[in-house]
Amino acid sequence: MPVNPELQGRTFPPTEPYLVGREKVREFARAVFATNPINLDPGAARAAGYADVVAPPTFAVVVQEQTLARLLADPDAGIDFSRVVHGDQRFTSTRPIVAGDLLTATLTVASVKSLGAHSMVTAESAITGADGAHVVTAVSTLVVRGDE
């Protein structure tokens, strides 16, 4: 089943709020070899003007994953996850993510392109704080391999 081209422009409902935990930030920082003290030490983060530890920029993918899971699970999308390869990832931040943030994400399918038997789906997840202000937009392009 090919990817449904009518996905383009579709916006999914917002995710449930995600509370950013200090230990999750520290675990992620260690996993990506982030060594800046503000990523690991609350005292260093406060000295730098933050309320708590600061997540590395790519931490937004943790929140974005909730939106991508909805897209991939949607039977109308026509996306067979076993045929998905991650093609691209980008982030545009307004401010850093900090432990204690309560984040909500809304996914919009920016484009669906066919390349022969294959498809490329670009999904933009706008992530906002509890106040509704933009924090980061995470953009993923998924390559869905067609029948060989």
Side-chain angles (χ1 to χ4, degrees), residues 9 31 50 57 61 73 84 108 119 132 145:
Y50 298 100
V61 77
V84 171
T108 299
S119 297
R145 294 176 290 117

CSV table of all heavy atoms in Angstrom, one decimal, residues 9 31 50 57 61 73 84 108 119 132 145:
chain,number,residue,atom,x,y,z
A,9,GLY,N,-0.4,18.3,4.5
A,9,GLY,CA,-1.2,19.4,5.1
A,9,GLY,C,-2.0,19.0,6.3
A,9,GLY,O,-2.5,19.8,7.0
A,31,ALA,N,24.2,10.1,26.7
A,31,ALA,CA,24.0,9.2,25.5
A,31,ALA,C,24.6,9.9,24.3
A,31,ALA,O,25.1,9.2,23.4
A,31,ALA,CB,22.6,8.8,25.3
A,50,TYR,N,19.6,29.5,34.0
A,50,TYR,CA,18.5,28.5,33.8
A,50,TYR,C,17.9,28.0,35.1
A,50,TYR,O,18.6,27.9,36.1
A,50,TYR,CB,19.0,27.4,32.9
A,50,TYR,CG,19.5,27.8,31.5
A,50,TYR,CD1,20.9,27.9,31.3
A,50,TYR,CD2,18.6,28.1,30.5
A,50,TYR,CE1,21.3,28.3,30.1
A,50,TYR,CE2,19.0,28.5,29.3
A,50,TYR,CZ,20.4,28.7,29.1
A,50,TYR,OH,20.8,29.1,27.8
A,57,PRO,N,20.3,20.2,22.3
A,57,PRO,CA,19.3,20.6,21.3
A,57,PRO,C,18.5,19.4,20.7
A,57,PRO,O,17.3,19.6,20.4
A,57,PRO,CB,20.1,21.3,20.2
A,57,PRO,CG,21.3,21.8,21.0
A,57,PRO,CD,21.6,20.8,22.0
A,61,VAL,N,13.8,15.4,20.0
A,61,VAL,CA,13.3,14.2,19.3
A,61,VAL,C,12.5,13.3,20.3
A,61,VAL,O,11.7,12.6,19.9
A,61,VAL,CB,14.5,13.5,18.7
A,61,VAL,CG1,15.3,12.7,19.7
A,61,VAL,CG2,14.0,12.6,17.6
A,73,ALA,N,1.1,5.1,13.2
A,73,ALA,CA,0.0,4.2,13.6
A,73,ALA,C,-1.3,4.5,12.8
A,73,ALA,O,-2.2,3.7,12.9
A,73,ALA,CB,-0.2,4.3,15.1
A,84,VAL,N,10.3,1.9,6.7
A,84,VAL,CA,10.7,3.3,6.9
A,84,VAL,C,12.2,3.4,7.2
A,84,VAL,O,12.8,2.6,8.0
A,84,VAL,CB,9.9,3.9,8.1
A,84,VAL,CG1,10.5,5.3,8.5
A,84,VAL,CG2,8.4,4.0,7.7
A,108,THR,N,2.4,18.3,11.9
A,108,THR,CA,1.8,18.6,10.6
A,108,THR,C,2.6,18.0,9.6
A,108,THR,O,3.8,18.1,9.6
A,108,THR,CB,1.7,20.2,10.4
A,108,THR,OG1,0.9,20.8,11.4
A,108,THR,CG2,1.1,20.5,9.0
A,119,SER,N,8.5,6.8,-1.2
A,119,SER,CA,7.9,8.1,-0.8
A,119,SER,C,8.7,8.7,0.2
A,119,SER,O,9.4,8.0,1.0
A,119,SER,CB,6.5,7.8,-0.2
A,119,SER,OG,5.6,7.3,-1.2
A,132,GLY,N,2.2,28.0,26.1
A,132,GLY,CA,1.8,28.1,24.7
A,132,GLY,C,2.8,28.6,23.7
A,132,GLY,O,2.6,28.7,22.5
A,145,ARG,N,10.2,3.0,1.8
A,145,ARG,CA,10.6,2.2,0.6
A,145,ARG,C,9.4,1.5,0.0
A,145,ARG,O,8.6,0.9,0.7
A,145,ARG,CB,11.7,1.1,1.1
A,145,ARG,CG,13.0,1.7,1.5
A,145,ARG,CD,14.0,0.7,2.0
A,145,ARG,NE,13.5,0.1,3.3
A,145,ARG,CZ,13.2,-1.2,3.5
A,145,ARG,NH1,13.3,-2.0,2.5
A,145,ARG,NH2,12.8,-1.6,4.6
